[in-house]
Amino acid sequence: MNLVILTGAGISAESGVPTFRGPDGLWEGHRVEDVATPEAFERDPLLVHTFYNLRRAKLLDGTIHPNPAHLALAKLARSKEHQLLLVTQNIDDLHERAGSPEVLHMHGELLKSRCTDCGAVTPCREDIGRSSVCPACGHIDCLRPHVVWFGEMPIGLDEIGAAISRADLFVAIGTSGLVYPAAGFVSWARQAGVRTLEINLEESAGSGTFHETRRGPAGEIVPQWVAEL
Ligand code: BV8
C-alpha cells in the first residue's frame, strides 16, 4: 500500500516536547506566530535565536526520547509491503532517532542552521547567535535556524503533492490542522480520491474532512494501527 503520513507536534508530546496549542502551548511566554517569522528575526534576532537555542538545548538534554508512535512508524517504513512517505511538521529529530530512514521535514529542522549569505545548511547542535560564523563561507552574523517561519515557503510541497495524488491512504497524526498548507493535505487527498485517516488526541480543525478518525494518544493508537496494517 502507498502511504503518506503527516505528523505534527502531538506525536512528540508523549516524548516531552511541548505542543504549540496545548495549555503549555506558549514558548517562554511567546506565541509561535510572534517569534517564528522573518519579521521577528529582523526586528529582534536575539529573541528569536534564544527561542530556538532553548528548544534545541532541551531536545539535546538527554530527557527527550522517541516514543512508541515514532518507533511504530519507523517499523512501518522498514516493512517491504508498504511504500511510505513520512512528512513531519516537527523540527525535532525524534522520527530519525526512532529509526525512520527518510523524513521530509516540511518546516525545517532544529538541529540544522542555514547561512543567509551563502545558503549552506549545516548540522547545528549548539547555540547560534549574531557572533556565529558560517562553517561554509566563514562569514559572521549570517546564521539562522534552518526552520520554515510563517510567511515562508514550506519544503517539499511538490514531492508531497505528487505522493498524495498516488497514495492509497493519507494519515495525519497529532496535528491540530490549523497551519497551512499542511492542514490542506487532507483536502488534496480527498480531491484525489484517496482514503484519509486522522489519529489525534482530540477533535482538530480538520477532523470533519477525514473518512476515519481515531481518538487517543499517539503512543497507544499508532502502534495498534500499524499492527493492523
Ligand atoms: C506559507 C516551524 C506561503 C517553526 C512552523 C490565514 C488563513 C490561512 C492561512 C494563513 C493565514 N495567514 C497566514 C497563513 C499562512 C500560514 C498559516 O497557516 N497561518 C496559520 C496560523 C493561520 N502558513 C504559513 O505561513 C506557511 N507558509 O503559507 O507560505 C505559501 C504557501 C504555499 C505555497 C506558496 C507559498 C508556513 C507555516 C510554517 C510555520 N512554521 N513550524 C517552529 O516550529 O518554530 S508551524 C508549527 O505550528 C508546526 O510546524 C506546525 O505546522 C504548527 C503546529 O501545529 P501542530 O503540529 O498541529 O501542533 P499543535 O500544537 O497545533 O497541535 C497538536 C495536536 O496534537 C493537537 O490537535 C492535540 O490535540 C494533539 N495531541 C496532543 N497530544 C497528543 C496529540 N495527539 C496524539 N497524541 C498525543 N499524545
Side-chain angles (χ1 to χ4, degrees), residues 7-11 13-14 19-22 32-33 36 51-52 55 89-91 107-108 147-154 157 173-182 199-204 216-219:
T7 62
I11 200 168
E14 291 157 84
T19 64
F20 296 91
R21 285 170 180 76
V32 172
E33 288 85 358
F51 175 65
Y52 287 97
R55 290 168 72 184
Q89 299 170 86
N90 302 338
I91 60 176
H107 290 162
V147 161
V148 176
W149 286 327
F150 288 95
E152 295 185 323
M153 172 81 98
L157 290 182
I173 301 172
T175 179
S176 59
L178 293 170
V179 173
Y180 286 82
I199 296 174
N200 211 54
L201 189 66
E202 59 208 358
E203 184 92 6
S204 76

